[in-house]
Amino acid sequence: MRPHATASDPAAGDVTPAVLAIGRPDFPTILIDTLRSQAGVGHCMVFALTRAGAASCLLDIGNIPTGGDLGAAYAGQFHESDPNRDALFESEGNASIVLPSFTPRMYGARYRKIFFNDSHIVDKCATAIWTGDTCFYVNFYRVTAQGRFGDAERARLQAIAPAIGASVARHLQQAAAPDQNLAALFATRAPLSALTPREQEVCRRILLGLSSEAISQALGISLHSTLTYRKRAYERLGISSQNELFSIVLRLLAGPWHLN
């Protein structure tokens, strides 16, 4: 998987719904809907693994009825025999982790029976990201009725996985309101932090889907002022569209960073 989504990456904007749902109760539903529409994912599970040896299932959403049982079994003991474990624990820093493509022979017989054969899982992809001493391990599955990931689906999933992983980690670490998350991003991360406070307020509301008229009303300023702040912000960022603004935010989410 590529380590980062960039502003020039057309796949970056495809995960915008999940990014804007960070901190909201409906984040899991929006996440799986985004993964289904973009890469045909049937089910998503997220595990937290610590360097101290603890494991827990933090998210289980999709079309596998026994997902909860699988999550508990994995966290209880099977995480220790996961063939991806070495790749996860040998990684350093906060960049997205590249994991091997799924093949059944990677797994032991008992693991394969419980987590694939009995559950009708026929394919999986995975990404992960460390934040401090916790690894957020994000798994994407397909079941028998769907068949394996096609080449196009796998390529698309690999393209969006870094931003998805970073969004999942941020959501699970701090369930703040989406505007508060965006405010923190604008306050601390270049190039967004170079904007004036009013330009940041306008851009955050653009990201939340508000029209120029709605932004003017929310901030108590004229439409002309809103358009002026937007123009100045875009000029500072070297962009000319809302999609490019989304791409900057997604690039920052997918890149190396610390979540507090």
Side-chain angles (χ1 to χ4, degrees):
M1 294 184 183
R2 295 177 299 175
H4 307 297
T6 66
S8 61
D9 183 354
D14 296 334
V15 301
T16 299
V19 173
L20 295 183
I22 290 171
R24 287 169 23 193
D26 60 349
F27 176 83
T29 300
I30 292 177
L31 173 67
I32 193 62
D33 287 346
T34 300
L35 292 170
R36 283 172 174 163
S37 65
Q38 295 304 318
V41 173
H43 199 93
C44 179
M45 297 184 76
V46 180
F47 299 96
L49 307 175
T50 70
R51 296 196 185 278
S56 58
C57 181
L58 302 182
L59 189 148
D60 165 44
I61 185 77
N63 61 0
I64 300 175
T66 59
D69 293 336
L70 295 177
Y74 181 89
Q77 65 179 103
F78 283 95
H79 64 95
E80 297 175 350
S81 56
D82 188 336
N84 285 328
R85 187 176 179 85
D86 287 345
L88 293 172
F89 280 84
E90 289 171 359
S91 299
E92 298 284 342
N94 301 86
S96 179
I97 299 170
V98 178
L99 294 170
S101 297
F102 167 78
T103 56
R105 65 177 177 273
M106 292 168 55
Y107 299 83
R110 186 160 176 255
Y111 193 117
R112 192 164 58 242
K113 179 181 186 301
I114 294 173
F115 287 90
F116 299 104
N117 298 345
D118 292 351
S119 304
H120 305 291
I121 295 172
V122 296
D123 206 356
K124 69 168 282 188
C125 293
T127 187
I129 185 170
W130 282 91
T131 61
D133 290 329
T134 301
C135 176
F136 293 94
Y137 180 26
V138 188
N139 293 263
F140 314 107
Y141 303 99
R142 297 259 294 192
V143 297
T144 303
Q146 297 175 290
R148 300 199 65 176
F149 287 107
D151 290 342
E153 292 166 331
R154 190 177 297 276
R156 178 60 62 87
L157 186 56
Q158 289 176 342
I160 67 175
I164 288 291
S167 299
V168 167
R170 187 162 179 81
H171 172 76
L172 293 172
Q173 276 214 320
Q174 63 180 74
D179 188 57
Q180 291 175 325
N181 281 299
L182 289 174
L185 199 66
F186 273 81
T188 61
R189 300 298 303 279
L192 301 177
S193 58
L195 302 178
T196 68
R198 187 63 93 180
E199 289 166 357
Q200 290 184 14
E201 289 176 338
V202 169
C203 286
R204 291 205 310 271
R205 285 163 175 78
I206 290 172
L207 288 166
L208 293 171
L210 273 66
S211 66
S212 296
E213 291 78 6
I215 293 172
S216 300
Q217 184 175 8
L219 297 180
I221 60 178
S222 68
L223 177 60
H224 174 75
S225 295
T226 295
L227 296 176
T228 298
Y229 287 126
R230 184 184 69 181
K231 179 181 178 183
R232 290 177 182 172
Y234 282 9
E235 288 175 348
R236 290 181 195 273
L237 297 173
I239 61 176
S240 59
S241 70
Q242 181 189 51
N243 285 340
E244 289 177 289
L245 179 60
F246 277 125
S247 292
I248 289 175
V249 171
L250 294 171
R251 171 172 55 83
L252 293 176
L253 284 171
W257 65 322
H258 293 274
L259 301 178
N260 298 320

